[in-house]
Amino acid sequence: MKKNKTIAYMLAATLLVGGTFAGTKALFTDKVDIANKLVITTGIVDIEIKEDTEWFKNGDKLSKDFSTLVPGDVLTREVKVANNSNTECEIDVVDYKGSLDDKGYEVLRNAVDDGFIALSDQGPGEIEKLKNGQSTTLKFEVRVGSGNNDIDNNYQNKELNLSNFLANYEVNISQATKK
C-alpha cells in the first residue's frame, strides 16, 4: 500500500509542477480588423456622331438631286465620330457593302465592273485609338466616269441605284486594351 501512496504522491507532484509551469506561461495578444475601404466606379464607353454632312457634288452641296451626273463628277460625304467615353477607346468601322447580285442591280453591277462608278471609303482603315474628347472623320467618295468614252457613253440616261451599293457602315467603339 505504501507503494501505491508513493505513486499517488509522485503523480500529484508531477501534475502540480506541470500545471504551475503551464499556467504561468502566458503571452500578451491583441487583434485588429482592417477594413478594406475600396469603392470602384466603372468607365463609360460612348460614341457620338458629331457631324454628318449631306452629299456634295464637286464640292457643292447637293439638294438630293443626283439626276444630272456626268463623267468626272465626284460625290463626297464626311461623318465626324467622337469618343465621349471617359477612357481611351478603339474605334473600328465595319463596312456592310451591299450586294450587287440582287435583281434590278444588273446595270449598276456592270457600271461598277466597267469602272464607271467607283466608291472609296476613307475611315480609319485600321483600328484607331481615340482618347476622351478626340474625334475622327470618315470620308466617303463616289466617282462617276471611267475615262473611256465608249464605256461612259454606255451609261448615258441610265438610272443607277446606289442605295444597295452604298450600304450602311457600322462604327464600333470599345475600351482600349491595356498592355
Side-chain angles (χ1 to χ4, degrees):
M1 229 22 205
K2 187 172 180 173
K3 193 175 188 183
N4 286 344
K5 276 187 180 182
T6 306
I7 292 176
Y9 287 132
M10 285 178 55
L11 185 58
T14 303
L15 288 173
L16 183 63
V17 171
T20 303
F21 177 72
T24 59
K25 186 179 174 190
L27 299 174
F28 292 120
T29 61
D30 195 5
K31 177 179 146 185
V32 174
D33 288 335
I34 298 173
N36 233 348
K37 295 180 181 176
L38 175 64
V39 177
I40 63 170
T41 303
T42 57
I44 297 169
V45 176
D46 183 28
I47 190 170
E48 177 184 5
I49 301 294
K50 283 288 199 184
E51 187 177 319
D52 185 4
T53 65
E54 295 293 327
W55 284 98
F56 284 77
K57 175 179 149 186
N58 303 326
D60 296 325
K61 188 172 182 177
L62 275 174
S63 60
K64 308 248 186 219
D65 181 13
F66 296 91
S67 64
T68 59
L69 298 179
V70 296
D73 283 343
V74 178
L75 303 174
T76 56
R77 181 179 182 187
E78 292 185 359
V79 179
K80 188 175 184 178
V81 181
N83 176 12
N84 291 339
S85 307
N86 61 3
T87 183
E88 183 177 49
C89 288
E90 296 173 343
I91 186 169
D92 185 25
V93 179
V94 180
D95 177 3
Y96 288 106
K97 281 222 186 321
S99 172
L100 296 179
D101 296 331
D102 296 341
K103 189 173 176 149
Y105 287 96
E106 295 87 4
V107 175
L108 178 59
R109 183 174 49 251
N110 293 336
V112 170
D113 291 344
D114 291 344
F116 181 73
I117 296 290
L119 168 72
S120 70
D121 53 344
Q122 299 157 349
E126 57 188 49
I127 293 176
E128 181 179 342
K129 286 190 177 183
L130 294 176
K131 293 188 185 218
N132 176 296
Q134 286 183 325
S135 60
T136 189
T137 301
L138 312 175
K139 297 177 183 178
F140 304 95
E141 180 179 278
V142 177
R143 292 190 172 275
V144 179
S146 68
N148 179 322
N149 285 341
D150 291 334
I151 291 174
D152 292 348
N153 286 335
N154 285 336
Y155 295 99
Q156 285 189 54
N157 201 31
K158 301 271 185 187
E159 182 177 294
L160 303 171
N161 184 349
L162 295 175
S163 298
N164 206 33
F165 185 53
L166 295 172
N168 293 326
Y169 286 76
E170 181 178 287
V171 181
N172 295 315
I173 190 166
S174 60
Q175 172 189 340
T177 55
K178 304 282 185 192
K179 293 187 181 189

